[in-house]
């Protein structure tokens, strides 16, 4: 199986969907997945960062549209629209994610 | 790994996040796709609450925890030994 097939078939149905990206420095970014390649470079639209702390809900619109280099991607999660809108972000208190340590 | 597709595993990442779910697929880079995930550890990581399926980059995986009875350790040991011998040659 060609290497690129894996992620291609995996994520072809998620394009145009909302995804949550966890980066290697422990940040969580939510956006619309526009495209990707074999090295998992991502094109994300309307991305905003979810910062968790003792008082959550701090969302910044990081950039409307940007490219995330695959090296820095740890996890790509499919966000279920219904569940996500049910989430009351203002009420969540938590520690920030750790960054990836090799 | 391919024989484990469809089984429940726990993947521990290098950023200390542990994700439990069903192994959907694996590729040559050991990237993992999992469905129906939940965060195992104290859910002090609520970030994934609205995520059901996820793709994990192979380079951020620290461990993959498997139920002991799914793995024939004898077979695995033999296979690993053979590979090590092949590599030496």
């Amino acid at each position: 199986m060609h290497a690129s097939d894996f992620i291609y078939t995996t994520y072809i149905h998620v394009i145009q969907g909302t995804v949550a990206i966890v980066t290697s420095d422990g940040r969580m970014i939510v956006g619309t997945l526009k495209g990707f390649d074999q090295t998992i470079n991502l094109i994300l639209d309307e991305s905003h960062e979810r910062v968790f702390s003792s008082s959550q809900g701090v969302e910044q619109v990081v950039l409307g549209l940007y490219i995330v280099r695959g090296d820095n991607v740890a996890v790509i999660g499919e966000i279920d629209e219904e569940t996500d809108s049910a989430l009351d972000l203002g009420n969540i208190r938590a520690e920030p994610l750790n960054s990836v340590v090799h | 790994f391919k024989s484990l597709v469809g089984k429940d595993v726990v993947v521990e990442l290098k950023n200390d996040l542990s994700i439990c779910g069903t192994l959907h697929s694996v590729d040559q880079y050991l990237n993992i796709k999992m469905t129906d995930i939940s965060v195992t550890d104290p859910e002090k990581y609520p970030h994934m609450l609205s995520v059901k399926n996820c793709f994990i980059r192979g380079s951020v995986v620290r461990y993959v925890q498997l139920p002991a009875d799914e793995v024939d350790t004898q077979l695995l040991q033999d296979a690993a030994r053979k590979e090590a011998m092949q590599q030496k040659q």
Side-chain angles (χ1 to χ4, degrees):
Chain A
M1 197 186 198
H2 201 276
S4 60
D5 285 351
F6 177 76
I7 183 165
Y8 185 77
T9 51
T10 301
Y11 271 85
I12 191 67
H13 70 285
V14 184
I15 292 200
Q16 308 307 328
T18 309
V19 292
I21 309 297
V22 179
T23 59
S24 52
D25 58 356
R27 286 196 272 190
M28 183 189 177
I29 300 184
V30 177
T32 309
L33 186 63
K34 289 291 188 198
F36 58 82
D37 64 8
Q38 294 95 300
T39 51
I40 316 184
N41 296 327
L42 306 173
I43 302 175
L44 228 51
D45 202 348
E46 47 155 280
S47 45
H48 39 275
E49 184 180 335
R50 287 192 184 167
V51 182
F52 291 82
S53 65
S54 46
S55 55
Q56 221 283 97
V58 182
E59 293 205 13
Q60 318 139 7
V61 179
V62 181
L63 251 181
L65 174 67
Y66 70 79
I67 298 177
V68 183
R69 192 173 154 82
D71 290 349
N72 299 305
V73 175
V75 181
I76 306 175
E78 285 179 53
I79 288 204
D80 178 37
E81 302 288 342
E82 294 173 9
T83 327
D84 196 47
S85 48
L87 260 188
D88 183 6
L89 288 173
N91 268 333
I92 301 177
R93 307 274 180 269
E95 298 284 309
L97 283 172
N98 295 332
S99 51
V100 174
V101 179
H102 290 280
Chain B
F1 268 125
K2 290 182 185 154
S3 59
L4 291 167
V5 170
K7 301 290 197 313
D8 287 342
V9 295
V10 181
V11 180
E12 184 179 322
L13 306 181
K14 289 180 178 171
N15 66 355
D16 293 345
L17 182 61
S18 281
I19 299 178
C20 164
T22 311
L23 190 64
H24 179 274
S25 42
V26 184
D27 72 354
Q28 53 166 278
Y29 301 114
L30 302 190
N31 294 331
I32 295 174
K33 190 176 185 221
M34 294 205 322
T35 53
D36 203 24
I37 59 163
S38 56
V39 181
T40 51
D41 271 3
E43 305 226 2
K44 63 184 196 180
Y45 299 120
H47 320 65
M48 310 287 280
L49 281 180
S50 36
V51 180
K52 296 295 163 219
N53 311 321
C54 73
F55 172 92
I56 302 173
R57 196 159 202 265
S59 58
V60 299
V61 174
R62 190 184 287 139
Y63 306 119
V64 179
Q65 295 170 18
L66 319 161
D69 49 351
E70 284 177 10
V71 182
D72 183 348
T73 46
Q74 198 54 44
L75 201 63
L76 203 63
Q77 273 185 335
D78 289 344
R81 212 170 287 138
K82 276 184 202 163
E83 270 204 51
M85 284 180 30
Q86 279 176 358
Q87 284 187 0
K88 272 186 191 169
Q89 289 164 2

